[in-house]
Amino acid sequence: MKKQKMVALPTKMFLCVLPIVLGISIIIIRSPKTTLTASGQTHQITVSPTVFVLDYIVITETPIPTPTSTPTPLPTSTPTPLPFTTADYEKWFTTYSNNQSINKELLKRIAFCESGLNPRAINGVYGGLYQFSTNSWISTRKSMNQDSNPDLRFNPEEAIKTAAFKIATAGIRAWPNCSK
């Protein structure tokens, strides 16, 4: 057994540090002669009878956990947009041209001229089926009381709905080359 180390404290307590299998224990002892069993070993502690000491407390160092490897995160796959069918486009052209009382063929012709019917088409600041700029999209959608998020330009149904509204309220001047 290793030798005990005693340190006098200002409050007339003794601090005894004993070796224990798991680590180091700090013990504050009440009586002059105390038996302590720690980690299966019995330790006899004798304290001077002229010193008043309080109670005993055992504080054990917590073993340091073994580091484990951090799992490598799997890359998140980018969701593939669902392809839209010709029937979807036809339904939207019909619905929104009828809702706004505009020519369905004009609505189709502008979309084909501007983007080749590609809802993800981008040309500088312009994007979507009708190549709306961000500012034009936001102002038109606010006029419609609809979500003005510019990313919606790339949703074909939202683009057709917005273009039909713009043609009905402001005419075809937004698409001078494609509306002839």
Side-chain angles (χ1 to χ4, degrees), residues 38-107:
S39 303
Q41 296 179 5
T42 301
H43 303 275
Q44 186 71 33
I45 300 168
T46 305
V47 180
S48 166
T50 61
V51 178
F52 176 79
V53 287
L54 294 174
D55 210 347
Y56 70 89
I57 301 170
V58 177
I59 302 172
T60 306
E61 283 185 14
T62 305
I64 298 172
T66 307
T68 57
S69 62
T70 304
T72 305
L74 297 174
T76 305
S77 61
T78 304
T80 308
L82 297 173
F84 300 103
T85 65
T86 305
D88 292 330
Y89 281 95
E90 197 58 39
K91 178 179 78 175
W92 297 326
F93 285 127
T94 302
T95 300
Y96 297 112
S97 63
N98 288 343
N99 287 354
Q100 299 296 332
S101 301
I102 63 168
N103 183 318
K104 173 180 152 183
E105 294 307 315
L106 173 64
L107 195 58

Short mmCIF file of all heavy atoms in Angstrom, two decimals, residues 38-107:
data_model
loop_
_atom_site.label_atom_id
_atom_site.label_comp_id
_atom_site.label_asym_id
_atom_site.label_seq_id
_atom_site.Cartn_x
_atom_site.Cartn_y
_atom_site.Cartn_z
N ALA A 38 -12.10 0.50 0.06
CA ALA A 38 -12.25 1.10 -1.27
C ALA A 38 -11.69 0.13 -2.29
O ALA A 38 -10.59 -0.37 -2.13
CB ALA A 38 -11.52 2.43 -1.33
N SER A 39 -12.41 -0.10 -3.31
CA SER A 39 -12.00 -0.98 -4.40
C SER A 39 -11.55 -2.33 -3.89
O SER A 39 -10.57 -2.90 -4.36
CB SER A 39 -10.88 -0.34 -5.23
OG SER A 39 -11.31 0.89 -5.72
N GLY A 40 -12.27 -2.86 -2.88
CA GLY A 40 -11.97 -4.18 -2.36
C GLY A 40 -10.79 -4.21 -1.41
O GLY A 40 -10.43 -5.27 -0.91
N GLN A 41 -10.13 -3.09 -1.14
CA GLN A 41 -8.99 -3.05 -0.23
C GLN A 41 -9.39 -2.28 1.03
O GLN A 41 -10.09 -1.29 0.95
CB GLN A 41 -7.80 -2.36 -0.89
CG GLN A 41 -7.28 -3.10 -2.10
CD GLN A 41 -6.10 -2.35 -2.72
OE1 GLN A 41 -5.64 -1.35 -2.21
NE2 GLN A 41 -5.62 -2.86 -3.84
N THR A 42 -8.93 -2.75 2.16
CA THR A 42 -9.22 -2.07 3.42
C THR A 42 -8.03 -1.22 3.79
O THR A 42 -6.88 -1.67 3.76
CB THR A 42 -9.51 -3.10 4.53
OG1 THR A 42 -10.62 -3.89 4.12
CG2 THR A 42 -9.83 -2.40 5.84
N HIS A 43 -8.30 0.05 4.13
CA HIS A 43 -7.25 0.99 4.51
C HIS A 43 -7.56 1.50 5.90
O HIS A 43 -8.68 1.91 6.19
CB HIS A 43 -7.22 2.18 3.53
CG HIS A 43 -7.02 1.77 2.11
ND1 HIS A 43 -5.78 1.54 1.56
CD2 HIS A 43 -7.92 1.54 1.11
CE1 HIS A 43 -5.92 1.21 0.30
NE2 HIS A 43 -7.21 1.20 -0.01
N GLN A 44 -6.57 1.42 6.78
CA GLN A 44 -6.72 1.94 8.13
C GLN A 44 -6.16 3.35 8.13
O GLN A 44 -5.03 3.57 7.70
CB GLN A 44 -5.95 1.06 9.13
CG GLN A 44 -6.15 1.43 10.56
CD GLN A 44 -7.54 1.06 11.06
OE1 GLN A 44 -8.10 0.08 10.63
NE2 GLN A 44 -8.08 1.86 11.95
N ILE A 45 -6.98 4.31 8.59
CA ILE A 45 -6.55 5.71 8.62
C ILE A 45 -6.54 6.16 10.07
O ILE A 45 -7.53 5.99 10.77
CB ILE A 45 -7.51 6.58 7.81
CG1 ILE A 45 -7.56 6.10 6.36
CG2 ILE A 45 -7.11 8.04 7.86
CD1 ILE A 45 -8.67 6.70 5.57
N THR A 46 -5.45 6.72 10.48
CA THR A 46 -5.36 7.23 11.86
C THR A 46 -5.11 8.72 11.79
O THR A 46 -4.23 9.18 11.07
CB THR A 46 -4.21 6.55 12.63
OG1 THR A 46 -4.42 5.15 12.55
CG2 THR A 46 -4.19 7.00 14.07
N VAL A 47 -5.93 9.46 12.52
CA VAL A 47 -5.82 10.91 12.54
C VAL A 47 -5.47 11.31 13.97
O VAL A 47 -5.92 10.69 14.93
CB VAL A 47 -7.15 11.55 12.11
CG1 VAL A 47 -7.07 13.05 12.11
CG2 VAL A 47 -7.55 11.04 10.73
N SER A 48 -4.71 12.34 14.13
CA SER A 48 -4.33 12.81 15.47
C SER A 48 -5.57 13.13 16.29
O SER A 48 -6.47 13.80 15.82
CB SER A 48 -3.47 14.07 15.31
OG SER A 48 -3.35 14.72 16.55
N PRO A 49 -5.65 12.64 17.54
CA PRO A 49 -6.84 12.84 18.38
C PRO A 49 -7.04 14.28 18.80
O PRO A 49 -8.10 14.65 19.27
CB PRO A 49 -6.61 11.93 19.57
CG PRO A 49 -5.18 11.63 19.57
CD PRO A 49 -4.66 11.80 18.19
N THR A 50 -6.04 15.12 18.64
CA THR A 50 -6.17 16.51 19.07
C THR A 50 -6.83 17.38 18.01
O THR A 50 -7.09 18.55 18.23
CB THR A 50 -4.79 17.09 19.40
OG1 THR A 50 -3.99 17.03 18.23
CG2 THR A 50 -4.15 16.33 20.54
N VAL A 51 -7.10 16.82 16.86
CA VAL A 51 -7.67 17.60 15.74
C VAL A 51 -9.13 17.23 15.57
O VAL A 51 -9.50 16.06 15.57
CB VAL A 51 -6.88 17.32 14.43
CG1 VAL A 51 -7.50 18.08 13.29
CG2 VAL A 51 -5.42 17.67 14.62
N PHE A 52 -9.97 18.24 15.42
CA PHE A 52 -11.39 18.03 15.16
C PHE A 52 -11.59 17.97 13.65
O PHE A 52 -11.18 18.86 12.93
CB PHE A 52 -12.21 19.19 15.75
CG PHE A 52 -13.66 19.09 15.44
CD1 PHE A 52 -14.48 18.23 16.16
CD2 PHE A 52 -14.22 19.84 14.41
CE1 PHE A 52 -15.82 18.14 15.88
CE2 PHE A 52 -15.57 19.74 14.14
CZ PHE A 52 -16.37 18.90 14.85
N VAL A 53 -12.17 16.87 13.16
CA VAL A 53 -12.43 16.74 11.73
C VAL A 53 -13.91 16.42 11.53
O VAL A 53 -14.56 15.89 12.42
CB VAL A 53 -11.55 15.66 11.07
CG1 VAL A 53 -10.13 16.14 10.96
CG2 VAL A 53 -11.63 14.36 11.80
N LEU A 54 -14.43 16.76 10.37
CA LEU A 54 -15.85 16.60 10.10
C LEU A 54 -16.20 15.19 9.64
O LEU A 54 -15.95 14.25 10.33
CB LEU A 54 -16.30 17.63 9.04
CG LEU A 54 -16.24 19.08 9.50
CD1 LEU A 54 -16.56 19.99 8.35
CD2 LEU A 54 -17.20 19.31 10.65
N ASP A 55 -16.79 15.09 8.49
CA ASP A 55 -17.31 13.84 7.95
C ASP A 55 -16.36 13.35 6.86
O ASP A 55 -15.45 14.06 6.46
CB ASP A 55 -18.69 14.11 7.36
CG ASP A 55 -19.59 12.89 7.45
OD1 ASP A 55 -19.08 11.80 7.72
OD2 ASP A 55 -20.78 13.06 7.23
N TYR A 56 -16.59 12.16 6.35
CA TYR A 56 -15.76 11.73 5.24
C TYR A 56 -16.58 11.67 3.95
O TYR A 56 -17.74 11.34 3.95
CB TYR A 56 -15.05 10.40 5.52
CG TYR A 56 -15.94 9.19 5.56
CD1 TYR A 56 -16.20 8.48 4.40
CD2 TYR A 56 -16.47 8.74 6.77
CE1 TYR A 56 -17.01 7.37 4.45
CE2 TYR A 56 -17.28 7.63 6.81
CZ TYR A 56 -17.54 6.95 5.64
OH TYR A 56 -18.34 5.84 5.67
N ILE A 57 -15.94 12.07 2.87
CA ILE A 57 -16.54 12.07 1.53
C ILE A 57 -15.54 11.43 0.60
O ILE A 57 -14.35 11.73 0.68
CB ILE A 57 -16.81 13.51 1.06
CG1 ILE A 57 -17.74 14.23 2.03
CG2 ILE A 57 -17.39 13.52 -0.35
CD1 ILE A 57 -17.86 15.71 1.78
N VAL A 58 -16.00 10.58 -0.28
CA VAL A 58 -15.11 9.95 -1.24
C VAL A 58 -15.44 10.52 -2.62
O VAL A 58 -16.58 10.46 -3.07
CB VAL A 58 -15.28 8.41 -1.25
CG1 VAL A 58 -14.40 7.79 -2.32
CG2 VAL A 58 -14.98 7.85 0.12
N ILE A 59 -14.45 11.10 -3.23
CA ILE A 59 -14.61 11.63 -4.60
C ILE A 59 -13.64 10.85 -5.47
O ILE A 59 -12.44 10.86 -5.21
CB ILE A 59 -14.29 13.13 -4.66
CG1 ILE A 59 -15.21 13.89 -3.71
CG2 ILE A 59 -14.42 13.65 -6.09
CD1 ILE A 59 -14.85 15.35 -3.55
N THR A 60 -14.16 10.19 -6.47
CA THR A 60 -13.33 9.36 -7.33
C THR A 60 -13.21 10.00 -8.70
O THR A 60 -14.20 10.49 -9.24
CB THR A 60 -13.95 7.96 -7.49
OG1 THR A 60 -14.18 7.45 -6.20
CG2 THR A 60 -13.05 7.03 -8.25
N GLU A 61 -12.02 10.01 -9.24
CA GLU A 61 -11.85 10.49 -10.60
C GLU A 61 -12.63 9.59 -11.55
O GLU A 61 -12.59 8.37 -11.43
CB GLU A 61 -10.37 10.44 -11.01
CG GLU A 61 -9.54 11.53 -10.45
CD GLU A 61 -8.13 11.46 -11.02
OE1 GLU A 61 -7.89 10.76 -12.02
OE2 GLU A 61 -7.26 12.13 -10.44
N THR A 62 -13.32 10.20 -12.45
CA THR A 62 -14.05 9.44 -13.46
C THR A 62 -13.06 9.00 -14.52
O THR A 62 -12.27 9.81 -15.00
CB THR A 62 -15.13 10.31 -14.11
OG1 THR A 62 -15.96 10.83 -13.08
CG2 THR A 62 -15.96 9.54 -15.11
N PRO A 63 -13.08 7.73 -14.87
CA PRO A 63 -12.15 7.27 -15.91
C PRO A 63 -12.42 8.03 -17.22
O PRO A 63 -13.57 8.33 -17.55
CB PRO A 63 -12.47 5.79 -16.08
CG PRO A 63 -13.38 5.43 -14.96
CD PRO A 63 -13.94 6.66 -14.40
N ILE A 64 -11.38 8.33 -17.94
CA ILE A 64 -11.53 9.01 -19.21
C ILE A 64 -12.03 8.00 -20.23
O ILE A 64 -11.43 6.93 -20.40
CB ILE A 64 -10.19 9.62 -19.67
CG1 ILE A 64 -9.73 10.65 -18.64
CG2 ILE A 64 -10.31 10.22 -21.05
CD1 ILE A 64 -8.34 11.18 -18.87
N PRO A 65 -13.15 8.34 -20.91
CA PRO A 65 -13.67 7.38 -21.89
C PRO A 65 -12.74 7.22 -23.08
O PRO A 65 -12.02 8.15 -23.44
CB PRO A 65 -15.00 8.00 -22.34
CG PRO A 65 -14.94 9.42 -21.94
CD PRO A 65 -13.95 9.53 -20.83
N THR A 66 -12.74 6.04 -23.62
CA THR A 66 -11.94 5.77 -24.80
C THR A 66 -12.59 6.45 -26.00
O THR A 66 -13.80 6.30 -26.23
CB THR A 66 -11.88 4.25 -25.08
OG1 THR A 66 -11.45 3.62 -23.88
CG2 THR A 66 -10.95 3.93 -26.22
N PRO A 67 -11.83 7.27 -26.73
CA PRO A 67 -12.45 7.95 -27.88
C PRO A 67 -12.91 6.93 -28.92
O PRO A 67 -12.24 5.94 -29.20
CB PRO A 67 -11.34 8.84 -28.43
CG PRO A 67 -10.08 8.43 -27.76
CD PRO A 67 -10.43 7.57 -26.60
N THR A 68 -14.08 7.19 -29.45
CA THR A 68 -14.60 6.34 -30.51
C THR A 68 -14.54 7.11 -31.82
O THR A 68 -14.58 8.34 -31.82
CB THR A 68 -16.06 5.92 -30.24
OG1 THR A 68 -16.84 7.11 -30.10
CG2 THR A 68 -16.18 5.08 -28.99
N SER A 69 -14.44 6.39 -32.87
CA SER A 69 -14.36 7.05 -34.17
C SER A 69 -15.71 7.67 -34.51
O SER A 69 -16.76 7.12 -34.21
CB SER A 69 -13.94 6.06 -35.26
OG SER A 69 -14.91 5.04 -35.35
N THR A 70 -15.64 8.85 -35.10
CA THR A 70 -16.85 9.55 -35.52
C THR A 70 -17.29 8.94 -36.85
O THR A 70 -16.49 8.84 -37.78
CB THR A 70 -16.57 11.05 -35.71
OG1 THR A 70 -16.03 11.54 -34.48
CG2 THR A 70 -17.82 11.81 -36.07
N PRO A 71 -18.56 8.55 -36.94
CA PRO A 71 -19.00 7.97 -38.20
C PRO A 71 -18.98 9.02 -39.31
O PRO A 71 -19.25 10.20 -39.08
CB PRO A 71 -20.43 7.51 -37.92
CG PRO A 71 -20.85 8.21 -36.68
CD PRO A 71 -19.61 8.60 -35.95
N THR A 72 -18.62 8.58 -40.48
CA THR A 72 -18.60 9.47 -41.63
C THR A 72 -20.03 9.65 -42.11
O THR A 72 -20.72 8.67 -42.41
CB THR A 72 -17.74 8.86 -42.76
OG1 THR A 72 -16.46 8.57 -42.22
CG2 THR A 72 -17.63 9.80 -43.93
N PRO A 73 -20.50 10.92 -42.17
CA PRO A 73 -21.88 11.12 -42.62
C PRO A 73 -22.02 10.76 -44.10
O PRO A 73 -21.11 11.00 -44.90
CB PRO A 73 -22.13 12.60 -42.39
CG PRO A 73 -20.79 13.23 -42.28
CD PRO A 73 -19.84 12.16 -41.84
N LEU A 74 -23.15 10.17 -44.39
CA LEU A 74 -23.42 9.84 -45.78
C LEU A 74 -23.90 11.09 -46.50
O LEU A 74 -24.64 11.89 -45.93
CB LEU A 74 -24.50 8.75 -45.86
CG LEU A 74 -24.15 7.41 -45.23
CD1 LEU A 74 -25.35 6.48 -45.24
CD2 LEU A 74 -22.99 6.78 -45.99
N PRO A 75 -23.47 11.28 -47.74
CA PRO A 75 -23.93 12.47 -48.45
C PRO A 75 -25.44 12.41 -48.68
O PRO A 75 -26.00 11.35 -48.93
CB PRO A 75 -23.17 12.42 -49.78
CG PRO A 75 -22.73 11.00 -49.92
CD PRO A 75 -22.63 10.44 -48.53
N THR A 76 -26.06 13.57 -48.52
CA THR A 76 -27.50 13.66 -48.75
C THR A 76 -27.74 13.76 -50.24
O THR A 76 -27.13 14.60 -50.92
CB THR A 76 -28.08 14.91 -48.05
OG1 THR A 76 -27.71 14.84 -46.68
CG2 THR A 76 -29.58 14.98 -48.18
N SER A 77 -28.58 12.92 -50.73
CA SER A 77 -28.83 12.96 -52.16
C SER A 77 -29.76 14.13 -52.48
O SER A 77 -30.64 14.48 -51.72
CB SER A 77 -29.46 11.64 -52.64
OG SER A 77 -30.69 11.45 -51.98
N THR A 78 -29.49 14.76 -53.61
CA THR A 78 -30.33 15.87 -54.07
C THR A 78 -31.59 15.27 -54.66
O THR A 78 -31.52 14.41 -55.53
CB THR A 78 -29.58 16.70 -55.14
OG1 THR A 78 -28.35 17.11 -54.57
CG2 THR A 78 -30.40 17.90 -55.57
N PRO A 79 -32.74 15.72 -54.17
CA PRO A 79 -33.96 15.15 -54.72
C PRO A 79 -34.13 15.51 -56.19
O PRO A 79 -33.83 16.62 -56.61
CB PRO A 79 -35.07 15.78 -53.88
CG PRO A 79 -34.45 16.96 -53.23
CD PRO A 79 -32.97 16.73 -53.18
N THR A 80 -34.54 14.54 -56.95
CA THR A 80 -34.78 14.76 -58.36
C THR A 80 -36.22 15.23 -58.54
O THR A 80 -37.14 14.59 -58.04
CB THR A 80 -34.58 13.44 -59.15
OG1 THR A 80 -33.30 12.92 -58.81
CG2 THR A 80 -34.68 13.66 -60.64
N PRO A 81 -36.38 16.39 -59.20
CA PRO A 81 -37.76 16.85 -59.38
C PRO A 81 -38.56 15.86 -60.22
O PRO A 81 -38.02 15.23 -61.13
CB PRO A 81 -37.61 18.19 -60.10
CG PRO A 81 -36.18 18.35 -60.43
CD PRO A 81 -35.40 17.23 -59.81
N LEU A 82 -39.81 15.75 -59.87
CA LEU A 82 -40.67 14.87 -60.63
C LEU A 82 -40.84 15.43 -62.04
O LEU A 82 -41.06 16.63 -62.20
CB LEU A 82 -42.04 14.73 -59.96
CG LEU A 82 -42.04 14.10 -58.58
CD1 LEU A 82 -43.44 14.19 -57.98
CD2 LEU A 82 -41.59 12.66 -58.66
N PRO A 83 -40.73 14.60 -63.04
CA PRO A 83 -40.93 15.11 -64.39
C PRO A 83 -42.41 15.45 -64.59
O PRO A 83 -43.29 14.77 -64.08
CB PRO A 83 -40.49 13.94 -65.28
CG PRO A 83 -40.59 12.73 -64.41
CD PRO A 83 -40.41 13.19 -62.99
N PHE A 84 -42.64 16.52 -65.30
CA PHE A 84 -44.00 16.92 -65.60
C PHE A 84 -44.35 16.40 -66.98
O PHE A 84 -43.54 16.43 -67.90
CB PHE A 84 -44.13 18.44 -65.53
CG PHE A 84 -43.80 18.98 -64.17
CD1 PHE A 84 -42.58 19.59 -63.92
CD2 PHE A 84 -44.70 18.86 -63.13
CE1 PHE A 84 -42.27 20.07 -62.66
CE2 PHE A 84 -44.41 19.34 -61.86
CZ PHE A 84 -43.19 19.94 -61.64
N THR A 85 -45.55 15.92 -67.11
CA THR A 85 -45.98 15.34 -68.38
C THR A 85 -46.60 16.42 -69.27
O THR A 85 -46.96 17.50 -68.81
CB THR A 85 -47.02 14.23 -68.15
OG1 THR A 85 -48.19 14.83 -67.59
CG2 THR A 85 -46.49 13.15 -67.21
N THR A 86 -46.74 16.08 -70.52
CA THR A 86 -47.40 16.97 -71.48
C THR A 86 -48.82 17.25 -71.01
O THR A 86 -49.32 18.37 -71.14
CB THR A 86 -47.39 16.33 -72.89
OG1 THR A 86 -46.04 16.02 -73.22
CG2 THR A 86 -47.98 17.24 -73.93
N ALA A 87 -49.46 16.22 -70.45
CA ALA A 87 -50.83 16.39 -69.96
C ALA A 87 -50.87 17.41 -68.82
O ALA A 87 -51.83 18.20 -68.74
CB ALA A 87 -51.38 15.05 -69.49
N ASP A 88 -49.84 17.42 -67.94
CA ASP A 88 -49.77 18.41 -66.86
C ASP A 88 -49.71 19.82 -67.44
O ASP A 88 -50.47 20.71 -67.05
CB ASP A 88 -48.55 18.19 -65.97
CG ASP A 88 -48.60 16.91 -65.15
OD1 ASP A 88 -49.71 16.48 -64.79
OD2 ASP A 88 -47.51 16.36 -64.87
N TYR A 89 -48.80 20.00 -68.39
CA TYR A 89 -48.65 21.32 -69.02
C TYR A 89 -49.95 21.74 -69.70
O TYR A 89 -50.40 22.88 -69.54
CB TYR A 89 -47.50 21.33 -70.04
CG TYR A 89 -46.14 21.44 -69.41
CD1 TYR A 89 -45.38 20.32 -69.14
CD2 TYR A 89 -45.61 22.68 -69.10
CE1 TYR A 89 -44.12 20.42 -68.56
CE2 TYR A 89 -44.35 22.79 -68.53
CZ TYR A 89 -43.61 21.67 -68.26
OH TYR A 89 -42.37 21.77 -67.68
N GLU A 90 -50.54 20.83 -70.42
CA GLU A 90 -51.78 21.15 -71.15
C GLU A 90 -52.89 21.55 -70.18
O GLU A 90 -53.61 22.52 -70.42
CB GLU A 90 -52.20 19.94 -72.00
CG GLU A 90 -53.20 20.24 -73.08
CD GLU A 90 -52.72 21.29 -74.07
OE1 GLU A 90 -51.53 21.31 -74.45
OE2 GLU A 90 -53.57 22.11 -74.48
N LYS A 91 -53.00 20.82 -69.09
CA LYS A 91 -54.01 21.15 -68.07
C LYS A 91 -53.77 22.54 -67.50
O LYS A 91 -54.69 23.34 -67.35
CB LYS A 91 -53.97 20.09 -66.95
CG LYS A 91 -54.95 20.36 -65.80
CD LYS A 91 -54.90 19.29 -64.74
CE LYS A 91 -53.67 19.52 -63.89
NZ LYS A 91 -53.53 18.65 -62.75
N TRP A 92 -52.51 22.88 -67.19
CA TRP A 92 -52.19 24.19 -66.61
C TRP A 92 -52.41 25.32 -67.61
O TRP A 92 -52.93 26.37 -67.26
CB TRP A 92 -50.76 24.21 -66.08
CG TRP A 92 -50.52 23.24 -64.95
CD1 TRP A 92 -51.41 22.87 -63.99
CD2 TRP A 92 -49.33 22.51 -64.70
NE1 TRP A 92 -50.84 21.96 -63.14
CE2 TRP A 92 -49.55 21.72 -63.54
CE3 TRP A 92 -48.08 22.44 -65.31
CZ2 TRP A 92 -48.58 20.88 -63.00
CZ3 TRP A 92 -47.11 21.62 -64.77
CH2 TRP A 92 -47.35 20.84 -63.62
N PHE A 93 -52.00 25.10 -68.87
CA PHE A 93 -52.23 26.13 -69.90
C PHE A 93 -53.73 26.40 -70.03
O PHE A 93 -54.16 27.54 -70.11
CB PHE A 93 -51.65 25.72 -71.26
CG PHE A 93 -50.15 25.82 -71.35
CD1 PHE A 93 -49.38 24.74 -71.76
CD2 PHE A 93 -49.49 27.01 -71.03
CE1 PHE A 93 -48.00 24.83 -71.86
CE2 PHE A 93 -48.11 27.12 -71.13
CZ PHE A 93 -47.36 26.02 -71.53
N THR A 94 -54.52 25.35 -70.06
CA THR A 94 -55.98 25.48 -70.19
C THR A 94 -56.59 26.16 -68.97
O THR A 94 -57.35 27.14 -69.09
CB THR A 94 -56.63 24.10 -70.42
OG1 THR A 94 -56.07 23.51 -71.58
CG2 THR A 94 -58.14 24.21 -70.56
N THR A 95 -56.24 25.69 -67.79
CA THR A 95 -56.81 26.23 -66.55
C THR A 95 -56.51 27.71 -66.39
O THR A 95 -57.43 28.52 -66.18
CB THR A 95 -56.26 25.46 -65.32
OG1 THR A 95 -56.61 24.09 -65.44
CG2 THR A 95 -56.80 26.03 -64.02
N TYR A 96 -55.24 28.09 -66.51
CA TYR A 96 -54.86 29.47 -66.21
C TYR A 96 -55.19 30.43 -67.35
O TYR A 96 -55.47 31.61 -67.09
CB TYR A 96 -53.40 29.55 -65.75
CG TYR A 96 -53.22 28.78 -64.46
CD1 TYR A 96 -52.48 27.61 -64.40
CD2 TYR A 96 -53.88 29.19 -63.30
CE1 TYR A 96 -52.36 26.89 -63.23
CE2 TYR A 96 -53.77 28.47 -62.11
CZ TYR A 96 -53.01 27.33 -62.09
OH TYR A 96 -52.90 26.62 -60.92
N SER A 97 -55.19 29.96 -68.58
CA SER A 97 -55.64 30.86 -69.67
C SER A 97 -57.14 31.11 -69.53
O SER A 97 -57.60 32.24 -69.73
CB SER A 97 -55.28 30.30 -71.04
OG SER A 97 -55.96 29.08 -71.27
N ASN A 98 -57.90 30.10 -69.17
CA ASN A 98 -59.35 30.28 -68.95
C ASN A 98 -59.60 31.18 -67.73
O ASN A 98 -60.48 32.05 -67.78
CB ASN A 98 -60.06 28.94 -68.75
CG ASN A 98 -60.16 28.15 -70.04
OD1 ASN A 98 -59.99 28.69 -71.14
ND2 ASN A 98 -60.40 26.85 -69.93
N ASN A 99 -58.86 30.97 -66.64
CA ASN A 99 -59.04 31.80 -65.43
C ASN A 99 -58.79 33.28 -65.70
O ASN A 99 -59.45 34.13 -65.12
CB ASN A 99 -58.10 31.35 -64.31
CG ASN A 99 -58.50 30.05 -63.66
OD1 ASN A 99 -59.54 29.48 -63.96
ND2 ASN A 99 -57.64 29.55 -62.78
N GLN A 100 -57.84 33.56 -66.56
CA GLN A 100 -57.46 34.95 -66.85
C GLN A 100 -58.06 35.48 -68.16
O GLN A 100 -57.79 36.62 -68.54
CB GLN A 100 -55.94 35.09 -66.87
CG GLN A 100 -55.25 34.75 -65.58
CD GLN A 100 -55.62 35.68 -64.44
OE1 GLN A 100 -55.97 36.85 -64.64
NE2 GLN A 100 -55.57 35.17 -63.22
N SER A 101 -58.82 34.63 -68.86
CA SER A 101 -59.45 35.00 -70.14
C SER A 101 -58.42 35.50 -71.16
O SER A 101 -58.55 36.57 -71.75
CB SER A 101 -60.53 36.08 -69.93
OG SER A 101 -61.51 35.62 -69.03
N ILE A 102 -57.36 34.69 -71.30
CA ILE A 102 -56.34 35.00 -72.31
C ILE A 102 -56.23 33.84 -73.28
O ILE A 102 -56.74 32.74 -73.02
CB ILE A 102 -54.97 35.32 -71.68
CG1 ILE A 102 -54.41 34.09 -70.93
CG2 ILE A 102 -55.05 36.53 -70.75
CD1 ILE A 102 -52.97 34.21 -70.53
N ASN A 103 -55.54 34.05 -74.39
CA ASN A 103 -55.37 33.04 -75.42
C ASN A 103 -54.39 31.96 -74.94
O ASN A 103 -53.23 32.26 -74.65
CB ASN A 103 -54.86 33.72 -76.70
CG ASN A 103 -54.73 32.76 -77.86
OD1 ASN A 103 -54.26 31.63 -77.70
ND2 ASN A 103 -55.12 33.21 -79.04
N LYS A 104 -54.86 30.74 -74.90
CA LYS A 104 -54.05 29.61 -74.44
C LYS A 104 -52.84 29.41 -75.35
O LYS A 104 -51.73 29.14 -74.86
CB LYS A 104 -54.92 28.36 -74.40
CG LYS A 104 -54.19 27.08 -74.10
CD LYS A 104 -55.17 25.91 -74.09
CE LYS A 104 -54.52 24.62 -74.46
NZ LYS A 104 -55.46 23.52 -74.53
N GLU A 105 -53.01 29.55 -76.63
CA GLU A 105 -51.90 29.33 -77.58
C GLU A 105 -50.82 30.40 -77.41
O GLU A 105 -49.64 30.11 -77.55
CB GLU A 105 -52.42 29.29 -79.03
CG GLU A 105 -53.32 28.08 -79.30
CD GLU A 105 -52.69 26.74 -78.93
OE1 GLU A 105 -51.50 26.51 -79.26
OE2 GLU A 105 -53.36 25.92 -78.29
N LEU A 106 -51.23 31.63 -77.10
CA LEU A 106 -50.26 32.69 -76.83
C LEU A 106 -49.43 32.33 -75.58
O LEU A 106 -48.21 32.47 -75.58
CB LEU A 106 -50.97 34.03 -76.62
CG LEU A 106 -50.09 35.20 -76.17
CD1 LEU A 106 -49.06 35.54 -77.25
CD2 LEU A 106 -50.94 36.41 -75.82
N LEU A 107 -50.08 31.86 -74.54
CA LEU A 107 -49.41 31.46 -73.30
C LEU A 107 -48.39 30.35 -73.58
O LEU A 107 -47.25 30.40 -73.10
CB LEU A 107 -50.46 31.00 -72.29
CG LEU A 107 -50.08 30.86 -70.83
CD1 LEU A 107 -49.56 32.17 -70.26
CD2 LEU A 107 -51.26 30.37 -70.02
#
